[in-house]
Amino acid sequence: MTENTQTPSSPYSELPTSYAPADVEGKLYERWVERGYFEADEKSDKPPFAIVIPPPNVTGSLHLGHAFEHTLIDAITRRKRMQGYETLWQPGMDHAGIATQNVVERELAKEGKSRHDLGREAFVERVWQWKGESGGQISGQMRRLGDGVDWSRERFTMDEGLSEAVQTIFKKLYDDELIYRAERIINWCPRCLTAISDIEVEYQDDEGELVSIRYGEGDASIVVATTRAETMLGDTAVAVHPGDERYKHLVGTEIELPLTGRRIPVVADEHVDPEFGTGAVKVTPAHDPNDFEIGQRHGLPNLAVMDEHAVITVHGPFQGLDRLEARSAIVAALRAEGRIVAEKRPYTHSVGHCSRCKTTIEPRLSLQWWVKVGPLAKAAGDAVRDGQVKIHPQEMEKRYFDWVDNLHDWCISRQLWWGHRIPVWYGPNGEIVCVGPDEQPPSGEGWTQDTDVLDTWFSSGLWPFSTLGWPQQTDSLAKFYPNAVLVTGYDILFFWVARMMMFGLYAMDGTPPFHTIALHGMVRDERGKKMSKSFGNAVNPLDWMDKYGSDAVRFTLARGANPGVDVPIGEDWVQASSKFANKIWNATRFAMMNGATIEGDLPSVGEMSATDRWILSRLNETVAQADAFYEDYQFSKLSEALYHFAWDEVFDWYVELSKTTFFAGGEPAKASARVLGEVLDVMLRLLHPVVPFVTETLWTTLTGGESLVIADWPKDSGFRDAAAKAEIEGIQGLVREVRRFRKEQGLDDKQKVPARLDLSATTLAAHEAAIRQVLRLQPEGDAFSATATLPVAGATVALDLSGTIDVEAERKRLSKDLAAAEKEKQQAEAKLGNEAFIAKAPDNVVDKIKGRLAKAEADIARLTSQLETLPAA
């Protein structure tokens, strides 16, 4: 379990008396990077372990969600590196098309310019300039957190190699007829002036109005309801259900569309719900996805009535109005004609917004590029169903299948200038040519390249293999693809994970991009509320790192990480984790000061005390626990197990119980010093992946080893000692009982009390000195008077409290509590003895009263015993 290293003399003397994270963390991280500990070697004979960073936006900075995710990934990779794997944690950033273009356009606006003033080429150059100067601050913040990424392999989704991968897979999909161009309804952002995908639309409840409008006259009239009155200008039909008797006489006829002078048909379509509203719906194929499908089935024309800015383009009185201005104007005009049958205001309904700029989305008919996802999505679903890829936790599989099994074709074109430009050229006579990375685009008069760029998720979907050099067959690709695991939030299961699954299986001959998808939840505030600047509860993790240290932030995040479950976090918890880091520092330094060492072999079982054997047994059990929790991505349980082992068992029990041995000196002290050194060595290794900085500093001081980053991960030796465990648990039981009694008497744990211990009938006799040390029990002395006697597990502890408590006041307090407990018992017995009450009361109420009775009886026994132990007045 232990490396054969030499301990410098008095190692603790090298450590400051208190831990100051700011003095340690930055220097340590730079040392790790300079020594190349995080660099992966594709030519190594070690088994590979690869994992990618979900590439943050180049516009971004490290928020608490990043810190959470990076902590989990770093813990996994640090452990795998210690286990002997050739470990690659691949870093990089995403070009974030819409977000980045918006940032640079805002900068231009400050200069009174737009991108059109610069032109495409100059604007793109300006974005690259911004990226070089301002982008990527997140990499510095990752260093603060301690991310063990291979910086020599850092990639960017717009760099040359990844751009080649994008063009390669576009060409391959195009040639396989899985990419096509078509006119369809898309989500259009009038602010960003681009299409966005379904998963980039955020829905929220907005207040609007619902108006019911009468189309036609008399018996040939139908009432329809809408929240978007402005779209009626583009109506090309009214639809009713085929079985709706109310409208059978109108199907196949035409009715007047108000305000327009046009007549439109009434069609019968199964899509219409006859029970909803009036059972009739207006059909606007160019501005609603469902209406578009109805229009396709019935051969209806697509009449677009808004431009890219959501400004009305038809019908004189409303032409040139913004959609919201037009809405009010059209309702007013309809009201003036007596066409408004009903108005409901305010009317709360779900409305889609652009996830980037929060503008209300406008469904719009548009000519775009699409990926035919059917066969790709089927492969992505089958890979999970047949066990090639496991989703953790397993209950998240349903979400995954609900998505990939019902995917619509993916709109991949964006009307932006920043991004991977679509590699398609159009000729003067309608020719269309898709060009691969090794092909020359067509030239000559009339040839132009498509002006759109690809959806950001198109390039990030290639991340697990494009970062390794694909489409070239590189050594890195051979070594590190597929990745071992993907750790990411459940919120981008659809955005990113499904895309990577589809592209990885397609491009890599059916090999999925990773074996396991480990999904975590979202970080929330201590009340469980989503963190947001608008809510005033957003946290900059750097502020907490500055105040408490990176280890404290990391441990807090890991301690809250249950698979797939959201993580509440507050500053109090970070402060508590900071105390844990300080406890590790102070207790380890104290242990080294008292001779803890890793020099030489461990003593034989016969040379060790029961306390030594117990802590070694618990150490091995903890190693086994840690391994099991890591393999199951149970970071919360892992952190709890390590916390309680370190603080409770090592520092509060083993060190305290061993103090008398250390003070006495001799061979037992040497044996315990070696055991303590072993325990600290292994404990620091176990803690290192989660809290790397404080453990590195202590471990290198204790062992003289080079670095924990490259040290061996501990192994469970199999050593267990049930007898020693039972013996120490007996001590713990006795100590806890005496401490409880002292607390009830109002005595501080550190207050010294004379005591007589009779341990002869137990296995605890050999531990009397340690028990007295832990409980602050003084020898009984000549004037000893046993004012309280506690029988505990076969032992007897007699205490002399005559000089520490007011006996009469204590008797009054206990008598008062005893009377209250007896009254509670009588009331509970009376209710339980009432047959009428028992017959009518719910089971949970009866159980609650039984619980009250049991507690009252226990209180009576305890209080009676305490009264009997008090000395006579």
Side-chain angles (χ1 to χ4, degrees):
M1 235 189 260
T2 304
E3 294 176 340
N4 187 15
T5 54
Q6 295 298 312
T7 307
S9 59
S10 303
Y12 69 89
S13 62
E14 301 175 15
L15 298 172
T17 54
S18 61
Y19 181 52
D23 296 339
V24 171
E25 294 175 348
K27 295 174 185 176
L28 263 188
Y29 188 83
E30 290 310 312
R31 184 190 308 162
W32 291 334
V33 173
E34 288 168 6
R35 294 182 179 181
Y37 293 155
F38 304 140
E39 293 181 11
D41 180 7
E42 61 266 23
K43 299 188 186 311
S44 166
D45 293 333
K46 296 179 181 178
F49 181 88
I51 191 168
V52 296
I53 180 177
N57 288 352
V58 69
T59 58
S61 60
L62 188 73
H63 57 65
L64 206 55
H66 285 129
F68 172 57
E69 185 167 81
H70 289 207
T71 293
L72 305 187
I73 298 175
D74 195 44
I76 291 170
T77 54
R78 283 178 181 270
R79 172 174 173 262
K80 286 296 181 180
R81 192 178 291 111
M82 293 172 76
Q83 286 182 309
Y85 287 84
E86 191 61 42
T87 303
L88 169 62
W89 183 9
Q90 173 70 55
M93 289 179 289
D94 192 283
H95 66 279
I98 296 176
T100 304
Q101 180 156 321
N102 282 346
V103 168
V104 178
E105 287 198 80
R106 283 196 295 269
E107 292 296 313
L108 285 174
K110 295 176 184 176
E111 303 170 15
K113 297 178 182 177
S114 74
R115 61 181 164 122
H116 299 285
D117 294 323
L118 271 65
R120 183 171 193 142
E121 190 173 328
F123 176 77
V124 170
E125 183 59 36
R126 179 70 177 260
V127 180
W128 277 108
Q129 180 185 339
W130 175 87
K131 188 258 181 187
E133 294 173 356
S134 307
Q137 61 175 309
I138 198 167
S139 61
Q141 296 165 331
M142 287 166 60
R143 293 170 183 265
R144 282 290 311 276
L145 189 64
D147 286 4
V149 300
D150 186 346
W151 291 110
S152 70
R153 295 173 178 264
E154 187 174 11
R155 304 304 298 269
F156 180 54
T157 49
M158 286 282 287
D159 68 27
E160 185 177 346
L162 271 65
S163 295
E164 179 186 356
V166 168
Q167 195 171 353
T168 299
I169 202 162
F170 187 99
K171 170 71 171 173
K172 181 175 170 58
L173 288 162
Y174 182 86
D175 289 347
D176 288 345
E177 298 183 349
L178 292 173
I179 280 183
Y180 64 94
R181 196 179 189 217
E183 192 175 45
R184 295 202 180 163
I185 293 287
I186 46 89
N187 303 299
W188 181 263
C189 175
R191 159 64 185 79
C192 298
L193 298 180
T194 183
I196 63 174
S197 64
D198 291 343
I199 51 180
E200 293 171 301
V201 179
E202 293 179 348
Y203 288 90
Q204 66 184 48
D205 287 340
D206 286 358
E207 283 192 0
E209 61 178 346
L210 180 69
V211 293
S212 298
I213 310 168
R214 178 173 51 83
Y215 287 12
E217 301 292 344
D219 292 339
S221 67
I222 293 181
V223 174
V224 297
T226 182
T227 58
R228 302 167 66 221
E230 69 279 9
T231 64
M232 68 160 291
L233 300 176
D235 286 359
T236 56
V238 171
V240 297
H241 191 272
D244 195 330
E245 295 294 332
R246 294 171 293 176
Y247 303 117
K248 271 197 171 180
H249 67 291
L250 291 176
V251 174
T253 68
E254 290 186 341
I255 59 175
E256 182 186 348
L257 178 65
L259 305 181
T260 68
R262 289 192 290 116
R263 293 185 68 79
I264 58 176
V266 178
V267 299
D269 195 278
E270 294 282 351
H271 171 76
V272 180
D273 180 1
E275 302 298 323
F276 183 77
T278 64
V281 297
K282 58 191 287 298
V283 182
T284 319
H287 293 280
D288 183 275
N290 293 321
D291 292 2
F292 178 79
E293 297 296 333
I294 294 175
Q296 292 289 293
R297 288 193 288 272
H298 296 278
L300 301 175
N302 301 316
L303 180 59
V305 298
M306 280 180 256
D307 66 11
E308 61 183 4
H309 298 281
V311 170
I312 301 298
T313 58
V314 299
H315 201 67
F318 312 109
Q319 192 168 359
L321 295 179
D322 170 83
R323 55 183 166 168
L324 299 182
E325 296 171 332
R327 184 177 300 170
S328 298
I330 288 170
V331 169
L334 289 168
R335 189 182 299 113
E337 289 192 5
R339 294 283 178 178
I340 301 296
V341 176
E343 296 181 66
K344 185 175 182 181
R345 188 186 298 112
Y347 178 72
T348 302
H349 60 128
S350 181
V351 177
H353 295 259
C354 174
S355 62
R356 302 306 198 293
C357 69
K358 312 309 177 187
T359 300
T360 300
I361 289 301
E362 190 64 45
R364 184 172 187 242
L365 187 65
S366 181
L367 184 62
Q368 301 283 347
W369 285 94
W370 304 81
V371 172
K372 187 184 295 183
V373 299
L376 303 175
K378 182 181 184 304
D382 290 346
V384 175
R385 287 189 172 94
D386 65 20
Q388 282 190 83
V389 178
K390 297 186 183 303
I391 294 180
H392 186 87
Q394 191 174 3
E395 54 265 28
M396 286 285 181
E397 281 186 2
K398 184 179 184 302
R399 283 195 190 193
Y400 178 79
F401 292 135
D402 285 347
W403 180 256
V404 297
D405 293 347
N406 298 286
L407 266 181
H408 299 296
D409 284 0
W410 173 19
C411 177
I412 56 171
S413 45
R414 298 290 180 268
Q415 289 64 56
L416 304 171
W417 287 355
W418 172 246
H420 296 100
R421 195 165 174 181
I422 288 176
V424 171
W425 272 255
Y426 305 106
N429 299 311
E431 303 95 332
I432 300 178
V433 176
C434 180
V435 177
D438 300 323
E439 300 170 350
Q440 287 295 321
S443 58
E445 188 175 349
W447 283 94
T448 58
Q449 186 178 357
D450 196 299
T451 57
D452 289 351
V453 300
L454 288 164
D455 179 10
T456 296
W457 296 104
F458 190 94
S459 53
S460 59
L462 314 180
W463 192 248
F465 52 94
S466 64
T467 52
L468 298 173
W470 187 89
Q472 309 304 321
Q473 297 305 305
T474 64
D475 291 340
S476 291
L477 190 65
K479 179 76 172 179
F480 295 114
Y481 187 90
N483 287 185
V485 61
L486 173 74
V487 177
T488 193
Y490 62 70
D491 59 318
I492 58 173
L493 181 61
F494 318 129
F495 285 88
W496 189 45
V497 180
R499 311 284 196 227
M500 287 190 290
M501 285 287 285
M502 290 192 296
F503 281 166
L505 288 159
Y506 173 74
M508 300 301 292
D509 299 321
T511 302
F514 21 73
H515 298 308
T516 302
I517 301 167
L519 298 171
H520 59 71
M522 313 309 295
V523 177
R524 298 182 177 273
D525 70 13
E526 61 266 35
R527 297 178 183 84
K529 190 175 182 180
K530 180 181 178 181
M531 285 192 174
S532 166
K533 289 181 181 178
S534 60
F535 295 156
N537 63 350
V539 173
N540 182 348
L542 293 178
D543 293 341
W544 281 352
M545 287 185 229
D546 290 340
K547 193 171 182 180
Y548 302 109
S550 298
D551 281 335
V553 174
R554 289 170 62 112
F555 190 76
T556 305
L557 292 166
R559 200 175 183 184
N562 289 300
V565 178
D566 288 347
V567 182
I569 184 173
E571 187 170 358
D572 288 350
W573 305 337
V574 185
Q575 188 174 18
S577 295
S578 175
K579 290 179 180 178
F580 179 50
N582 288 326
K583 178 73 171 182
I584 296 170
W585 180 274
N586 295 331
T588 303
R589 186 176 181 277
F590 173 82
M592 286 190 276
M593 187 168 58
N594 283 276
T597 180
I598 64 161
E599 288 186 20
D601 296 331
L602 276 172
S604 66
V605 172
E607 295 173 306
M608 289 189 283
S609 67
T611 311
D612 294 334
R613 299 195 306 276
W614 163 73
I615 198 62
L616 285 178
S617 182
R618 283 293 303 124
L619 179 69
N620 281 285
E621 289 174 350
T622 303
V623 170
Q625 270 188 315
D627 282 333
F629 290 144
Y630 263 117
E631 294 304 316
D632 200 33
Y633 307 101
Q634 296 280 358
F635 293 99
S636 178
K637 292 179 180 179
L638 166 75
S639 301
E640 285 296 314
L642 295 181
Y643 175 90
H644 290 294
F645 175 72
W647 193 311
D648 299 345
E649 296 183 297
V650 178
F651 300 143
D652 280 0
W653 284 111
Y654 181 71
V655 171
E656 289 298 316
L657 290 173
S658 299
K659 280 182 178 179
T660 54
T661 302
F662 287 128
F663 296 158
E667 292 304 314
K670 290 180 181 178
S672 291
R674 179 63 186 87
V675 169
L676 181 53
E678 181 77 6
V679 171
L680 293 175
D681 174 17
V682 174
M683 181 195 77
L684 292 171
R685 293 174 195 245
L686 292 174
L687 283 165
H688 175 73
V690 180
V691 284
F693 295 107
V694 66
T695 52
E696 171 86 340
T697 307
L698 293 171
W699 185 85
T700 52
T701 304
L702 170 70
T703 68
E706 182 181 344
S707 173
L708 262 177
V709 179
I710 56 171
D712 291 337
W713 181 253
K715 293 180 180 177
D716 175 8
S717 71
F719 176 78
R720 304 288 191 276
D721 192 322
K725 187 176 180 180
E727 195 167 322
I728 301 307
E729 286 175 351
I731 296 175
Q732 292 171 327
L734 184 146
V735 168
R736 290 189 183 107
E737 183 62 24
V738 174
R739 282 177 172 168
R740 184 186 65 77
F741 177 77
R742 288 172 60 127
K743 184 177 181 180
E744 288 172 349
Q745 305 303 315
L747 299 178
D748 186 88
D749 280 348
K750 294 181 180 179
Q751 188 171 349
K752 294 181 179 180
V753 176
R756 177 188 300 140
L757 274 64
D758 182 0
L759 310 174
S760 56
T762 71
T763 59
L764 307 183
H767 302 283
E768 180 170 346
I771 291 170
R772 285 184 176 276
Q773 165 70 26
V774 170
L775 285 171
R776 306 293 193 271
L777 300 180
Q778 294 178 314
E780 50 194 279
D782 295 337
F784 179 82
S785 174
T787 59
T789 303
L790 304 176
V792 185
T796 303
V797 179
L799 304 173
D800 183 353
L801 305 178
S802 57
T804 58
I805 63 171
D806 182 334
V807 175
E808 189 56 37
E810 185 63 15
R811 188 182 300 281
K812 287 181 180 179
R813 183 185 71 81
L814 292 173
S815 298
K816 182 179 178 181
D817 291 348
L818 179 61
E822 288 173 338
K823 183 178 180 181
E824 176 72 8
K825 178 187 175 185
Q826 291 171 1
Q827 290 175 342
E829 286 177 334
K831 285 190 176 182
L832 293 173
N834 184 333
E835 292 182 3
F837 171 78
I838 294 296
K840 295 179 181 179
D843 290 345
N844 65 317
V845 173
V846 174
D847 290 342
K848 188 174 180 180
I849 294 171
K850 288 179 178 178
R852 284 169 50 192
L853 175 60
K855 183 179 182 302
E857 289 174 339
D859 288 344
I860 290 168
R862 175 175 57 82
L863 293 165
T864 300
S865 174
Q866 289 178 24
L867 280 166
E868 290 172 352
T869 61
L870 289 175

